[in-house]
Structures are given as C-alpha cells and as structure tokens.
C-alpha cells in the first residue's frame, strides 16, 4: 500500500474475510484471486503465479515462497514492505 490509513487496513481486512468466506464456500472449486499485494497473496493463496512484464516467472505452491527467500516473489515482497 502506498498510503497507510486505518480505512485502507479495514478494507484489506474486509477483503481477506470475504476471500476466506468464498474459499470456504467453494472448497471443491478453483478460485482465482488477482492482486498486486504480495502479502494478500501469501494470506489467501494455495498456489502463487508471479508475472513479470506479462510472462510467468514463477508458479509454485505458497509453501515454496514461504520457505525459499531467493525468488522474484520474495524480492517483490521485501521491496513492498520497505515502502
């Protein structure tokens, strides 16, 4: 997030609750969530596909990104957290 206000955090919190509700309701279905926020991806995804300039550069289960700090995704997460 570029701005840190309480309203934005509430919106993200609501979004995460809604995504969790959808995942629970659609357990046996595939859901696709598109986000530019890597932290949201880590919280809601089972699998993460990273695009760079329109091309897939990484396509792994979430655990891969959590356990491997040498990925494009991790470098992006770090850069976002420094803003």
């Amino acid at each position: 997030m570029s701005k840190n206000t309480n309203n934005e955090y509430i919106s993200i919190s609501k979004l995460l609750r809604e995504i969790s509700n959808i995942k629970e309701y659609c357990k046996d279905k595939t859901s696709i969530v598109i986000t530019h926020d890597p932290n949201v991806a880590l919280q809601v995804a089972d699998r993460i596909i990273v695009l760079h300039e329109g091309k897939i550069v990484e396509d792994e289960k979430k655990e891969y990104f959590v356990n491997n700090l040498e990925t494009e995704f991790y470098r992006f997460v770090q850069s976002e957290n420094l803003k």
Side-chain angles (χ1 to χ4, degrees):
M1 286 184 203
S2 57
K3 296 178 186 174
N4 294 326
T5 65
N6 286 339
N7 288 339
E8 287 179 351
Y9 286 119
I10 291 168
S11 296
I12 293 295
S13 176
K14 283 177 145 179
L15 172 67
L16 292 173
R17 271 196 310 275
E18 287 301 314
I19 291 171
S20 292
N21 290 340
I22 291 168
K23 282 179 69 173
E24 182 64 29
Y25 181 76
C26 299
K27 282 183 196 175
D28 301 328
K29 307 272 189 259
T30 299
S31 301
I32 298 173
V33 175
I34 300 169
T35 180
H36 289 267
D37 187 331
N39 295 306
V40 170
L42 285 170
Q43 289 182 48
V44 303
D46 298 319
R47 176 177 161 201
I48 297 173
I49 299 172
V50 180
L51 300 173
H52 180 70
E53 296 181 356
K55 305 229 183 304
I56 295 174
V57 294
E58 293 172 329
D59 178 358
E60 302 286 345
K61 292 186 178 199
K62 175 174 64 175
E63 291 76 18
Y64 173 82
F65 295 102
V66 171
N67 296 317
N68 185 350
L69 305 182
E70 298 298 322
T71 66
E72 288 294 320
F73 181 79
Y74 181 76
R75 283 188 280 283
F76 182 71
V77 169
Q78 291 304 314
S79 71
E80 285 297 300
N81 287 334
L82 293 175
K83 289 182 181 178

